[in-house]
Amino acid sequence: MKIEWTLVSKDDYWNNIEYLESRWSETEVLNFINEVDHSLNLLLKNNIIFKESDYKNVYKLVIIKQITMYYSIENETIYLLRFWNNYQDLNTFKLK
């Protein structure tokens, strides 16, 4: 298995770090980064699939209370789709 970041997921990831930096302490920022790393390692090593989302073949995992990761798996590749800030309006949520 390998991990592929989409452009949107990269942007989301860094935007969420900036958001956490502006509202929370460095400890929370580092916690988010560590939780993402831990979650990705779980996906890579243990072949764990988390909760299904409302989108076909897309799964979601709460990284921290404020942020949920959305991903899909195809042909031995984990595609990171979004790192969604849960305080945002879900009506604006799009995978692409």
Side-chain angles (χ1 to χ4, degrees):
M1 292 285 262
K2 66 179 183 171
I3 293 179
E4 291 284 331
W5 292 68
T6 64
L7 288 177
V8 172
S9 69
K10 285 180 188 178
D11 287 345
D12 284 349
Y13 179 79
W14 291 109
N15 288 337
N16 279 304
I17 288 175
E18 287 176 12
Y19 168 80
L20 291 170
E21 286 176 329
S22 71
R23 305 243 191 259
W24 301 92
S25 71
E26 182 178 334
T27 301
E28 280 81 18
V29 174
L30 292 175
N31 182 49
F32 169 69
I33 293 167
N34 289 335
E35 287 298 321
V36 169
D37 289 344
H38 175 71
S39 299
L40 295 179
N41 282 328
L42 282 176
L43 287 170
L44 284 172
K45 292 180 182 175
N46 297 324
N47 200 19
I48 294 174
I49 294 180
F50 291 93
K51 186 176 180 181
E52 288 186 27
S53 73
D54 295 336
Y55 297 87
K56 186 177 179 180
N57 298 324
V58 174
Y59 304 93
K60 64 183 182 179
L61 167 63
V62 176
I63 301 293
I64 59 174
K65 181 174 78 169
Q66 298 86 354
I67 301 168
T68 300
M69 179 180 76
Y70 290 82
Y71 68 95
S72 64
I73 301 174
E74 294 178 36
N75 302 323
E76 299 296 313
T77 301
I78 300 165
Y79 293 94
L80 303 182
L81 305 173
R82 296 296 310 256
F83 285 88
W84 183 256
N85 184 317
N86 298 321
Y87 294 125
Q88 295 179 89
D89 183 358
L90 265 177
N91 293 325
T92 63
F93 180 83
K94 295 179 184 167
L95 284 177
K96 297 183 183 208

